[in-house]
Amino acid sequence: MILVWLIALPLLVGILAWIAERRGVGLSRWVALAGLFVEFAIVLRLWADHPIRMLTPGRATWLVELKLAWIPQLGISFHLALDGLSLLLVALAVFLAIAGVLCSWTEIQERVGFFHFILLATVTGIIGIFLAVDLILFFVFWEAMLVPMYIMIATWGHEHRRYAALKFFLFTQAGGLLMLAAILGLYFVHGRATGTYTFDYGQLMAASIPAGTAMWLMLGFFAAFAVKLPAAPFHTWLPDAHTEAPTAGSVILAGLLLKTGGYGLIRFLFPLFPGAASAFAPIAMTLAVIGIFYGAILAFAQTDLKRLVAYSSISHMGFVLLGVFVWNELALQGAVVQMLCHGISTGALFIIVGQLQERIRTRQLPRMRGFWETAPRMGAMALIFALASLGLPGLGNFVGEFLVLFGTYTASPGMAIAAAIGIVLATVYSLWMIYRVFFGPRKDAVKFDDLDPRESILLVVMGAVILWVGLFPQRALDTAGPTLRALERHVAGSTARMAGKPDTTETSLSRWMGIVLPSGRDRDR
Amino acid sequence: MTFIELYALLPLICLAATPVAALAAIAVSRDHAVVTLVTLIGLGLSFFGLCAVRPLVPMQITPLVVMDGYTLFFVGLILITTAAVALLSYQYLERREGHPEEYYPLLLFAALGACVVAASNHFASFFVGLETLGVSLYALIAYQRAAPRGIEAGIKYLILAATADAILLFGMALIYAKSGSLEFSETATSLAGDYSGLEMAGLALLVSGIAFKLSLVPFHMWTPDVYEGAPAPITGFISTVSKGAVFALLLRYFGEVPAQDFSSVAFCFSAIALASMLAGNLLALLQDNVKRMLAYSSIAHLGYLLVAFLAQRELAVTAVAYYFVAYFLSILGAFGVVGILSGSEGEAEDIKDYQGLIWRRPWIGAVFVTMLLSLAGIPLTAGFVGKFYVLWAGVDSSLWMLVLVLIGTSVIGLFYYLRLIAAMFGSPEAPREELRGRRAGFEAAAAVLGVLTILVIWLGVYPSPLIELIRRSAALSGF
């Protein structure tokens, strides 16, 4: 039942915050904040209560599971489950939701109660996505989350909010419906072969699908995840949505929504269609590398600061796509760490842009210059997150990108080299951004306040998390490890082509890196 | 006819007696509330009749009418919808000039016609039911004699529907000429095996007539004008009861005559479905008038339903029935909102009337948003489960072309629903006419909308009981 609470609590808190608005706007914010802290405590408690290292190897990696009948006539169940991978992402979701509430403290002044309800409803949907292991339940959360997100962009967004909100909704909906058709196709293929018609993830994983059909079904799933991620040709909704959303909306979009795409690839696409996904991998990896370059180059060309950060997201998520489609444990670990750290670092950058915009009422780079003197604390924080985003060793993003590149190198050296060059581009636009905003001669006497304690604490905590992951990634790797290993083994078992190959290289590489990836074989004994 | 057969007709008899009682009540004194009450009591009795005859089904009563689980399901749906329309109409009519009382007997006659259509398995009863429905609708559409657009819509519907009826009759005549019978099952046996050009022509005419009633492309031209001109509750009635009954008949007729096995008939329906989904959704994009937009959207919805219709039998019946329930609830709710927002002259039909609605009148705005999301097929609403069912049936029967077009056009459809929703979430500009103020019957209409909203969400979250009901009904009717 704890899983139901995990999903229901944000929604209930949202409703409470909405009601609390009548007693005062401040109360609404405090209710939302307190509720999220309780939720975060539950997540941490879950993490502490279920030591991942003690899992029995070879069995299902669920820590907590809940299965109730929902629509038995169609084989749909209310099936939630939590493992290390989802635990990490749920923790990220709640953490960024707290950041979202805090960064809106002064920015949102209209319809405050309703805003918090919408924010928390979005988070509810996202947590549901990370916990659902029935494909229809997953799809329901996947789509249900769009509505509050749409309302948030369309109501509290900036100038072109309606256009951006609409584009966001249409793109994701188109991908989602293709996924729904693919889910149905999978359901019938599996049902006809075995006689049990079910949408249950665990059972469908064992489905044997003819190769041609599997490719089409896999592409249906890929459409949905590639739009969310976003992969190169499906990204055009992202710069608009991120730029027009209010700050909290951008944080949720960049920090969480994009991660649902990466999560979907790891959890569903590869395990359900191992053969087709492996066959598709070269194309997906090419798209990933194109995305890395394309995002970085376009980020460099932007004059709108928020758009710049948005394009940098496309570049960073290219690493996630690359890591997933390489599909060995090293790269997968890298993809997961990259998702976590990108969520926090880009979220923080959006928060800083939001703070700047609140103060000087513009996001245009040409109108900024030499702000370091005016706001040194803000400048320092921006520098830290810019360094994180360019992949400075010691910060979390470095671990993610590095692991992805290592994993990729074993599979395809060319791709790894190309992607590594992409990191150089990230350095260019990140430093260029810091230079243009905070350094150089001051054009005019723009005066504004530096960060207040609320903003400072928020950013410092976010920076500390990035630093912690960068210095001690072991905890995160251990948490997601068993799941990723089990998934990898499942896929390797399904595709004879991949069996047995990557293990030796991985251990040696990880030893070289000083990171102990808990080895699957030792555990099995 | 034995007594037990007569007893099995109890729901229809109650329904037929109600307008007479209502007219008698009007003769005694013209009182809007009393007539409405008589109408509701009659519909309620008729509904209890349904429950009473349930143990007797399936039963063929004379060659004309069959009472089976399937009939009971659709008759029940029609009765509930009619009651909702009556309640929504009360406050609408209360605000307008003229006598509102005769409206209710007409509504009941229309419902009776629809029930007969849903229960018929004989061309004669089908046609009689259809005419009872149609003639009542002409009057209802043009009920407000002061509104020129209502009169225009009524005349337009009269002329076009009469033409469609003539086509339908000619089709029946051709089929009769070959098979020598008007019973569905008899015509089916003569069609089985070989079929001649004469029968094909008959089937084609029949399909055209039915497609007109369902406002499928290319027989949809009347829809936007009639929807725009008719009073909002009646528009809701046309798009639910009148279409639902005819679709139920379509399902029954082609259950006897396996149309899906005739490649030409199946091809024809596929083409109509494709055209309806595309034209309905694309033309809806161009509308600024909410009623016209919903008209085109209903064309598209009937196209989706045809996809389910073309699937295999058992799946088709459950998918269509579920989709209809979801569609009935949502479209009725949408037109209910249009009706409740309408002033004493004209209606709230321009998209500008909805600007900032959610902030001006949060509850009604929330109801409308829910209904539109349900029509768009977003999860946690009944519309999603309906669309899921249609896709389910389509994928199972490998109708990939239709499924892909359904997906593509759903995304287009989302565009105009979101446009309206975005307007509702926009900043509230000074409304042209503030429609606030308590009116007689407002509470009743608001309660109906509330119930519809709860049902839309309930059926979207927990559809199992309804699916079970549909399956049991289908089991009692030999599908």
Side-chain angles (χ1 to χ4, degrees), chain A residues 70-71 73 111 136 139 143 150 166 170 187-188 192, chain B residues 359 379 384 388 392 396 415 418 422 461 463-464 468:
Chain A
W70 185 22
I71 315 178
Q73 296 98 331
R111 307 188 176 107
I136 293 302
F139 180 80
E143 295 275 291
Y150 170 84
L166 186 63
L170 290 184
Y187 167 84
F188 282 114
R192 285 193 188 124
Chain B
W359 314 118
F384 167 70
F388 172 79
W392 190 73
D396 187 47
F415 190 89
L418 282 181
V461 172
S464 278
E468 205 47 52

PDB file of all heavy atoms in Angstrom, chain A residues 70-71 73 111 136 139 143 150 166 170 187-188 192, chain B residues 359 379 384 388 392 396 415 418 422 461 463-464 468:
ATOM      1  N   TRP A  70      -8.066  -4.614 -11.773  1.00  0.00           N
ATOM      2  CA  TRP A  70      -8.612  -3.324 -12.166  1.00  0.00           C
ATOM      3  C   TRP A  70      -9.688  -3.530 -13.237  1.00  0.00           C
ATOM      4  O   TRP A  70     -10.865  -3.309 -12.993  1.00  0.00           O
ATOM      5  CB  TRP A  70      -7.492  -2.407 -12.652  1.00  0.00           C
ATOM      6  CG  TRP A  70      -7.927  -1.020 -12.979  1.00  0.00           C
ATOM      7  CD1 TRP A  70      -9.042  -0.393 -12.511  1.00  0.00           C
ATOM      8  CD2 TRP A  70      -7.284  -0.095 -13.828  1.00  0.00           C
ATOM      9  NE1 TRP A  70      -9.116   0.875 -13.019  1.00  0.00           N
ATOM     10  CE2 TRP A  70      -8.049   1.087 -13.826  1.00  0.00           C
ATOM     11  CE3 TRP A  70      -6.116  -0.127 -14.606  1.00  0.00           C
ATOM     12  CZ2 TRP A  70      -7.696   2.211 -14.572  1.00  0.00           C
ATOM     13  CZ3 TRP A  70      -5.769   0.996 -15.326  1.00  0.00           C
ATOM     14  CH2 TRP A  70      -6.553   2.143 -15.307  1.00  0.00           C
ATOM     15  N   ILE A  71      -9.289  -3.975 -14.407  1.00  0.00           N
ATOM     16  CA  ILE A  71     -10.269  -4.332 -15.429  1.00  0.00           C
ATOM     17  C   ILE A  71      -9.961  -5.762 -15.841  1.00  0.00           C
ATOM     18  O   ILE A  71      -9.330  -5.999 -16.874  1.00  0.00           O
ATOM     19  CB  ILE A  71     -10.193  -3.390 -16.646  1.00  0.00           C
ATOM     20  CG1 ILE A  71     -10.085  -1.937 -16.188  1.00  0.00           C
ATOM     21  CG2 ILE A  71     -11.413  -3.560 -17.547  1.00  0.00           C
ATOM     22  CD1 ILE A  71      -9.950  -0.953 -17.321  1.00  0.00           C
ATOM     23  N   GLN A  73     -11.552  -8.050 -17.151  1.00  0.00           N
ATOM     24  CA  GLN A  73     -12.080  -8.540 -18.434  1.00  0.00           C
ATOM     25  C   GLN A  73     -11.086  -8.342 -19.569  1.00  0.00           C
ATOM     26  O   GLN A  73     -11.083  -9.096 -20.542  1.00  0.00           O
ATOM     27  CB  GLN A  73     -13.383  -7.814 -18.793  1.00  0.00           C
ATOM     28  CG  GLN A  73     -14.518  -8.067 -17.831  1.00  0.00           C
ATOM     29  CD  GLN A  73     -14.642  -6.943 -16.812  1.00  0.00           C
ATOM     30  OE1 GLN A  73     -13.658  -6.306 -16.466  1.00  0.00           O
ATOM     31  NE2 GLN A  73     -15.839  -6.716 -16.314  1.00  0.00           N
ATOM     32  N   ARG A 111      -3.349  32.938  -8.700  1.00  0.00           N
ATOM     33  CA  ARG A 111      -3.957  31.602  -8.552  1.00  0.00           C
ATOM     34  C   ARG A 111      -2.965  30.630  -7.930  1.00  0.00           C
ATOM     35  O   ARG A 111      -2.679  29.566  -8.476  1.00  0.00           O
ATOM     36  CB  ARG A 111      -4.406  31.094  -9.905  1.00  0.00           C
ATOM     37  CG  ARG A 111      -5.291  32.109 -10.586  1.00  0.00           C
ATOM     38  CD  ARG A 111      -5.920  31.599 -11.832  1.00  0.00           C
ATOM     39  NE  ARG A 111      -6.801  32.617 -12.346  1.00  0.00           N
ATOM     40  CZ  ARG A 111      -6.554  33.355 -13.421  1.00  0.00           C
ATOM     41  NH1 ARG A 111      -5.472  33.143 -14.122  1.00  0.00           N
ATOM     42  NH2 ARG A 111      -7.398  34.283 -13.804  1.00  0.00           N
ATOM     43  N   ILE A 136      -0.974  -0.729 -19.513  1.00  0.00           N
ATOM     44  CA  ILE A 136      -2.076   0.229 -19.651  1.00  0.00           C
ATOM     45  C   ILE A 136      -2.032   1.238 -18.512  1.00  0.00           C
ATOM     46  O   ILE A 136      -2.251   2.438 -18.712  1.00  0.00           O
ATOM     47  CB  ILE A 136      -3.421  -0.506 -19.708  1.00  0.00           C
ATOM     48  CG1 ILE A 136      -3.504  -1.326 -20.992  1.00  0.00           C
ATOM     49  CG2 ILE A 136      -4.573   0.470 -19.655  1.00  0.00           C
ATOM     50  CD1 ILE A 136      -3.352  -0.529 -22.264  1.00  0.00           C
ATOM     51  N   PHE A 139       0.492   3.641 -19.410  1.00  0.00           N
ATOM     52  CA  PHE A 139       0.005   4.570 -20.428  1.00  0.00           C
ATOM     53  C   PHE A 139      -0.937   5.603 -19.824  1.00  0.00           C
ATOM     54  O   PHE A 139      -0.899   6.777 -20.201  1.00  0.00           O
ATOM     55  CB  PHE A 139      -0.702   3.801 -21.542  1.00  0.00           C
ATOM     56  CG  PHE A 139      -1.228   4.692 -22.619  1.00  0.00           C
ATOM     57  CD1 PHE A 139      -0.378   5.161 -23.598  1.00  0.00           C
ATOM     58  CD2 PHE A 139      -2.544   5.086 -22.644  1.00  0.00           C
ATOM     59  CE1 PHE A 139      -0.842   6.004 -24.584  1.00  0.00           C
ATOM     60  CE2 PHE A 139      -3.014   5.931 -23.624  1.00  0.00           C
ATOM     61  CZ  PHE A 139      -2.160   6.385 -24.601  1.00  0.00           C
ATOM     62  N   GLU A 143      -0.254   9.637 -20.074  1.00  0.00           N
ATOM     63  CA  GLU A 143      -1.104  10.636 -20.711  1.00  0.00           C
ATOM     64  C   GLU A 143      -1.716  11.582 -19.687  1.00  0.00           C
ATOM     65  O   GLU A 143      -1.864  12.769 -19.945  1.00  0.00           O
ATOM     66  CB  GLU A 143      -2.239   9.931 -21.461  1.00  0.00           C
ATOM     67  CG  GLU A 143      -1.766   9.089 -22.594  1.00  0.00           C
ATOM     68  CD  GLU A 143      -1.584   9.902 -23.850  1.00  0.00           C
ATOM     69  OE1 GLU A 143      -2.592  10.346 -24.397  1.00  0.00           O
ATOM     70  OE2 GLU A 143      -0.443  10.110 -24.264  1.00  0.00           O
ATOM     71  N   TYR A 150       0.043  20.746 -19.360  1.00  0.00           N
ATOM     72  CA  TYR A 150      -0.503  21.660 -20.364  1.00  0.00           C
ATOM     73  C   TYR A 150      -1.113  22.881 -19.686  1.00  0.00           C
ATOM     74  O   TYR A 150      -0.858  24.023 -20.073  1.00  0.00           O
ATOM     75  CB  TYR A 150      -1.561  20.916 -21.187  1.00  0.00           C
ATOM     76  CG  TYR A 150      -2.364  21.813 -22.087  1.00  0.00           C
ATOM     77  CD1 TYR A 150      -1.882  22.161 -23.333  1.00  0.00           C
ATOM     78  CD2 TYR A 150      -3.591  22.318 -21.688  1.00  0.00           C
ATOM     79  CE1 TYR A 150      -2.598  22.992 -24.160  1.00  0.00           C
ATOM     80  CE2 TYR A 150      -4.317  23.149 -22.504  1.00  0.00           C
ATOM     81  CZ  TYR A 150      -3.815  23.481 -23.743  1.00  0.00           C
ATOM     82  OH  TYR A 150      -4.534  24.309 -24.548  1.00  0.00           O
ATOM     83  N   LEU A 166       0.291  23.933 -26.618  1.00  0.00           N
ATOM     84  CA  LEU A 166      -0.401  23.109 -27.607  1.00  0.00           C
ATOM     85  C   LEU A 166       0.574  22.180 -28.321  1.00  0.00           C
ATOM     86  O   LEU A 166       0.316  20.988 -28.486  1.00  0.00           O
ATOM     87  CB  LEU A 166      -1.084  24.037 -28.609  1.00  0.00           C
ATOM     88  CG  LEU A 166      -1.978  23.372 -29.636  1.00  0.00           C
ATOM     89  CD1 LEU A 166      -3.130  22.697 -28.928  1.00  0.00           C
ATOM     90  CD2 LEU A 166      -2.503  24.384 -30.621  1.00  0.00           C
ATOM     91  N   LEU A 170       0.399  18.135 -28.373  1.00  0.00           N
ATOM     92  CA  LEU A 170       0.164  17.384 -29.613  1.00  0.00           C
ATOM     93  C   LEU A 170       1.305  16.412 -29.889  1.00  0.00           C
ATOM     94  O   LEU A 170       1.062  15.262 -30.250  1.00  0.00           O
ATOM     95  CB  LEU A 170       0.007  18.341 -30.790  1.00  0.00           C
ATOM     96  CG  LEU A 170      -1.285  19.154 -30.787  1.00  0.00           C
ATOM     97  CD1 LEU A 170      -1.373  19.998 -32.047  1.00  0.00           C
ATOM     98  CD2 LEU A 170      -2.497  18.255 -30.687  1.00  0.00           C
ATOM     99  N   TYR A 187      -0.023  -7.037 -26.940  1.00  0.00           N
ATOM    100  CA  TYR A 187      -1.020  -7.778 -26.151  1.00  0.00           C
ATOM    101  C   TYR A 187      -1.625  -8.913 -26.979  1.00  0.00           C
ATOM    102  O   TYR A 187      -1.720 -10.052 -26.532  1.00  0.00           O
ATOM    103  CB  TYR A 187      -2.068  -6.763 -25.713  1.00  0.00           C
ATOM    104  CG  TYR A 187      -3.360  -7.269 -25.145  1.00  0.00           C
ATOM    105  CD1 TYR A 187      -3.462  -7.602 -23.800  1.00  0.00           C
ATOM    106  CD2 TYR A 187      -4.497  -7.329 -25.932  1.00  0.00           C
ATOM    107  CE1 TYR A 187      -4.664  -8.006 -23.273  1.00  0.00           C
ATOM    108  CE2 TYR A 187      -5.703  -7.723 -25.395  1.00  0.00           C
ATOM    109  CZ  TYR A 187      -5.786  -8.064 -24.067  1.00  0.00           C
ATOM    110  OH  TYR A 187      -6.980  -8.448 -23.541  1.00  0.00           O
ATOM    111  N   PHE A 188      -1.988  -8.606 -28.209  1.00  0.00           N
ATOM    112  CA  PHE A 188      -2.637  -9.637 -29.016  1.00  0.00           C
ATOM    113  C   PHE A 188      -1.637 -10.673 -29.503  1.00  0.00           C
ATOM    114  O   PHE A 188      -1.950 -11.864 -29.549  1.00  0.00           O
ATOM    115  CB  PHE A 188      -3.383  -9.010 -30.192  1.00  0.00           C
ATOM    116  CG  PHE A 188      -4.692  -8.411 -29.780  1.00  0.00           C
ATOM    117  CD1 PHE A 188      -4.919  -7.055 -29.853  1.00  0.00           C
ATOM    118  CD2 PHE A 188      -5.703  -9.225 -29.281  1.00  0.00           C
ATOM    119  CE1 PHE A 188      -6.122  -6.500 -29.457  1.00  0.00           C
ATOM    120  CE2 PHE A 188      -6.906  -8.678 -28.877  1.00  0.00           C
ATOM    121  CZ  PHE A 188      -7.120  -7.320 -28.967  1.00  0.00           C
ATOM    122  N   ARG A 192      -2.324 -14.416 -28.371  1.00  0.00           N
ATOM    123  CA  ARG A 192      -2.607 -15.488 -29.336  1.00  0.00           C
ATOM    124  C   ARG A 192      -1.600 -16.615 -29.197  1.00  0.00           C
ATOM    125  O   ARG A 192      -1.937 -17.778 -29.393  1.00  0.00           O
ATOM    126  CB  ARG A 192      -2.588 -14.932 -30.749  1.00  0.00           C
ATOM    127  CG  ARG A 192      -3.846 -14.143 -31.017  1.00  0.00           C
ATOM    128  CD  ARG A 192      -4.033 -13.827 -32.478  1.00  0.00           C
ATOM    129  NE  ARG A 192      -5.162 -12.918 -32.580  1.00  0.00           N
ATOM    130  CZ  ARG A 192      -5.102 -11.740 -33.163  1.00  0.00           C
ATOM    131  NH1 ARG A 192      -3.981 -11.347 -33.734  1.00  0.00           N
ATOM    132  NH2 ARG A 192      -6.161 -10.970 -33.201  1.00  0.00           N
TER     133      ARG A 192
ATOM    134  N   TRP B 359     -12.253  30.589 -14.844  1.00  0.00           N
ATOM    135  CA  TRP B 359     -12.063  31.503 -13.723  1.00  0.00           C
ATOM    136  C   TRP B 359     -13.372  32.192 -13.361  1.00  0.00           C
ATOM    137  O   TRP B 359     -13.594  32.533 -12.207  1.00  0.00           O
ATOM    138  CB  TRP B 359     -11.004  32.552 -14.044  1.00  0.00           C
ATOM    139  CG  TRP B 359      -9.774  31.972 -14.663  1.00  0.00           C
ATOM    140  CD1 TRP B 359      -9.278  32.242 -15.896  1.00  0.00           C
ATOM    141  CD2 TRP B 359      -8.893  30.998 -14.092  1.00  0.00           C
ATOM    142  NE1 TRP B 359      -8.157  31.508 -16.127  1.00  0.00           N
ATOM    143  CE2 TRP B 359      -7.895  30.737 -15.043  1.00  0.00           C
ATOM    144  CE3 TRP B 359      -8.860  30.316 -12.870  1.00  0.00           C
ATOM    145  CZ2 TRP B 359      -6.869  29.831 -14.816  1.00  0.00           C
ATOM    146  CZ3 TRP B 359      -7.835  29.416 -12.658  1.00  0.00           C
ATOM    147  CH2 TRP B 359      -6.864  29.183 -13.616  1.00  0.00           C
ATOM    148  N   PRO B 379      -6.854   9.805 -20.855  1.00  0.00           N
ATOM    149  CA  PRO B 379      -7.086   8.839 -19.787  1.00  0.00           C
ATOM    150  C   PRO B 379      -7.755   9.426 -18.544  1.00  0.00           C
ATOM    151  O   PRO B 379      -7.702  10.635 -18.319  1.00  0.00           O
ATOM    152  CB  PRO B 379      -5.685   8.359 -19.440  1.00  0.00           C
ATOM    153  CG  PRO B 379      -4.941   8.492 -20.680  1.00  0.00           C
ATOM    154  CD  PRO B 379      -5.485   9.699 -21.365  1.00  0.00           C
ATOM    155  N   PHE B 384     -11.593   7.875 -22.911  1.00  0.00           N
ATOM    156  CA  PHE B 384     -10.351   7.127 -23.136  1.00  0.00           C
ATOM    157  C   PHE B 384     -10.646   5.635 -23.217  1.00  0.00           C
ATOM    158  O   PHE B 384     -10.171   4.950 -24.122  1.00  0.00           O
ATOM    159  CB  PHE B 384      -9.331   7.390 -22.034  1.00  0.00           C
ATOM    160  CG  PHE B 384      -8.196   6.411 -22.074  1.00  0.00           C
ATOM    161  CD1 PHE B 384      -7.276   6.457 -23.101  1.00  0.00           C
ATOM    162  CD2 PHE B 384      -8.070   5.422 -21.118  1.00  0.00           C
ATOM    163  CE1 PHE B 384      -6.242   5.549 -23.173  1.00  0.00           C
ATOM    164  CE2 PHE B 384      -7.043   4.502 -21.182  1.00  0.00           C
ATOM    165  CZ  PHE B 384      -6.125   4.564 -22.206  1.00  0.00           C
ATOM    166  N   PHE B 388      -9.925   3.367 -26.300  1.00  0.00           N
ATOM    167  CA  PHE B 388      -9.089   2.192 -26.089  1.00  0.00           C
ATOM    168  C   PHE B 388      -9.786   0.948 -26.627  1.00  0.00           C
ATOM    169  O   PHE B 388      -9.185   0.134 -27.325  1.00  0.00           O
ATOM    170  CB  PHE B 388      -8.823   2.041 -24.590  1.00  0.00           C
ATOM    171  CG  PHE B 388      -8.127   0.776 -24.224  1.00  0.00           C
ATOM    172  CD1 PHE B 388      -6.768   0.655 -24.405  1.00  0.00           C
ATOM    173  CD2 PHE B 388      -8.834  -0.293 -23.703  1.00  0.00           C
ATOM    174  CE1 PHE B 388      -6.117  -0.515 -24.080  1.00  0.00           C
ATOM    175  CE2 PHE B 388      -8.187  -1.465 -23.381  1.00  0.00           C
ATOM    176  CZ  PHE B 388      -6.834  -1.581 -23.565  1.00  0.00           C
ATOM    177  N   TRP B 392      -8.601  -1.401 -29.528  1.00  0.00           N
ATOM    178  CA  TRP B 392      -8.459  -2.803 -29.157  1.00  0.00           C
ATOM    179  C   TRP B 392      -9.113  -3.689 -30.209  1.00  0.00           C
ATOM    180  O   TRP B 392      -8.507  -4.628 -30.721  1.00  0.00           O
ATOM    181  CB  TRP B 392      -9.132  -2.952 -27.802  1.00  0.00           C
ATOM    182  CG  TRP B 392      -8.954  -4.236 -27.070  1.00  0.00           C
ATOM    183  CD1 TRP B 392      -7.830  -4.657 -26.454  1.00  0.00           C
ATOM    184  CD2 TRP B 392      -9.963  -5.212 -26.834  1.00  0.00           C
ATOM    185  NE1 TRP B 392      -8.072  -5.853 -25.842  1.00  0.00           N
ATOM    186  CE2 TRP B 392      -9.360  -6.219 -26.054  1.00  0.00           C
ATOM    187  CE3 TRP B 392     -11.291  -5.344 -27.190  1.00  0.00           C
ATOM    188  CZ2 TRP B 392     -10.068  -7.346 -25.638  1.00  0.00           C
ATOM    189  CZ3 TRP B 392     -11.995  -6.456 -26.776  1.00  0.00           C
ATOM    190  CH2 TRP B 392     -11.378  -7.440 -26.008  1.00  0.00           C
ATOM    191  N   ASP B 396      -7.102  -5.972 -32.964  1.00  0.00           N
ATOM    192  CA  ASP B 396      -7.343  -7.414 -32.951  1.00  0.00           C
ATOM    193  C   ASP B 396      -7.752  -7.911 -34.331  1.00  0.00           C
ATOM    194  O   ASP B 396      -7.396  -9.004 -34.734  1.00  0.00           O
ATOM    195  CB  ASP B 396      -8.430  -7.752 -31.935  1.00  0.00           C
ATOM    196  CG  ASP B 396      -8.582  -9.251 -31.793  1.00  0.00           C
ATOM    197  OD1 ASP B 396      -7.545  -9.927 -31.661  1.00  0.00           O
ATOM    198  OD2 ASP B 396      -9.716  -9.747 -31.841  1.00  0.00           O
ATOM    199  N   PHE B 415      -6.347  19.002 -31.192  1.00  0.00           N
ATOM    200  CA  PHE B 415      -6.011  20.391 -31.476  1.00  0.00           C
ATOM    201  C   PHE B 415      -7.202  21.309 -31.206  1.00  0.00           C
ATOM    202  O   PHE B 415      -7.073  22.321 -30.521  1.00  0.00           O
ATOM    203  CB  PHE B 415      -5.567  20.497 -32.941  1.00  0.00           C
ATOM    204  CG  PHE B 415      -4.978  21.811 -33.299  1.00  0.00           C
ATOM    205  CD1 PHE B 415      -3.632  22.039 -33.148  1.00  0.00           C
ATOM    206  CD2 PHE B 415      -5.775  22.833 -33.789  1.00  0.00           C
ATOM    207  CE1 PHE B 415      -3.085  23.252 -33.480  1.00  0.00           C
ATOM    208  CE2 PHE B 415      -5.236  24.042 -34.117  1.00  0.00           C
ATOM    209  CZ  PHE B 415      -3.890  24.256 -33.963  1.00  0.00           C
ATOM    210  N   LEU B 418      -8.320  21.322 -27.495  1.00  0.00           N
ATOM    211  CA  LEU B 418      -7.394  22.101 -26.665  1.00  0.00           C
ATOM    212  C   LEU B 418      -7.549  23.590 -26.921  1.00  0.00           C
ATOM    213  O   LEU B 418      -7.356  24.404 -26.028  1.00  0.00           O
ATOM    214  CB  LEU B 418      -5.950  21.684 -26.947  1.00  0.00           C
ATOM    215  CG  LEU B 418      -5.503  20.386 -26.305  1.00  0.00           C
ATOM    216  CD1 LEU B 418      -4.060  20.118 -26.636  1.00  0.00           C
ATOM    217  CD2 LEU B 418      -5.677  20.440 -24.809  1.00  0.00           C
ATOM    218  N   ALA B 422      -7.955  25.953 -23.974  1.00  0.00           N
ATOM    219  CA  ALA B 422      -7.021  27.062 -23.763  1.00  0.00           C
ATOM    220  C   ALA B 422      -7.797  28.367 -23.615  1.00  0.00           C
ATOM    221  O   ALA B 422      -7.456  29.208 -22.777  1.00  0.00           O
ATOM    222  CB  ALA B 422      -6.045  27.150 -24.928  1.00  0.00           C
ATOM    223  N   VAL B 461     -12.174   5.623 -14.694  1.00  0.00           N
ATOM    224  CA  VAL B 461     -11.263   5.068 -13.691  1.00  0.00           C
ATOM    225  C   VAL B 461     -11.589   3.602 -13.428  1.00  0.00           C
ATOM    226  O   VAL B 461     -10.698   2.776 -13.278  1.00  0.00           O
ATOM    227  CB  VAL B 461     -11.364   5.882 -12.389  1.00  0.00           C
ATOM    228  CG1 VAL B 461     -10.576   5.220 -11.283  1.00  0.00           C
ATOM    229  CG2 VAL B 461     -10.847   7.283 -12.612  1.00  0.00           C
ATOM    230  N   PRO B 463     -13.926   1.001 -15.183  1.00  0.00           N
ATOM    231  CA  PRO B 463     -14.924   0.607 -16.182  1.00  0.00           C
ATOM    232  C   PRO B 463     -15.462  -0.819 -16.041  1.00  0.00           C
ATOM    233  O   PRO B 463     -16.387  -1.178 -16.746  1.00  0.00           O
ATOM    234  CB  PRO B 463     -14.169   0.766 -17.505  1.00  0.00           C
ATOM    235  CG  PRO B 463     -12.750   0.602 -17.157  1.00  0.00           C
ATOM    236  CD  PRO B 463     -12.575   0.984 -15.726  1.00  0.00           C
ATOM    237  N   SER B 464     -14.885  -1.597 -15.137  1.00  0.00           N
ATOM    238  CA  SER B 464     -15.258  -3.021 -15.063  1.00  0.00           C
ATOM    239  C   SER B 464     -16.762  -3.302 -15.001  1.00  0.00           C
ATOM    240  O   SER B 464     -17.262  -4.126 -15.752  1.00  0.00           O
ATOM    241  CB  SER B 464     -14.590  -3.661 -13.849  1.00  0.00           C
ATOM    242  OG  SER B 464     -13.298  -3.988 -14.169  1.00  0.00           O
ATOM    243  N   GLU B 468     -18.882  -5.487 -17.719  1.00  0.00           N
ATOM    244  CA  GLU B 468     -19.573  -6.719 -17.333  1.00  0.00           C
ATOM    245  C   GLU B 468     -21.033  -6.666 -17.779  1.00  0.00           C
ATOM    246  O   GLU B 468     -21.566  -7.631 -18.339  1.00  0.00           O
ATOM    247  CB  GLU B 468     -19.481  -6.861 -15.810  1.00  0.00           C
ATOM    248  CG  GLU B 468     -19.596  -8.263 -15.297  1.00  0.00           C
ATOM    249  CD  GLU B 468     -18.719  -9.232 -16.052  1.00  0.00           C
ATOM    250  OE1 GLU B 468     -17.512  -8.958 -16.195  1.00  0.00           O
ATOM    251  OE2 GLU B 468     -19.252 -10.269 -16.514  1.00  0.00           O
TER     252      GLU B 468
END
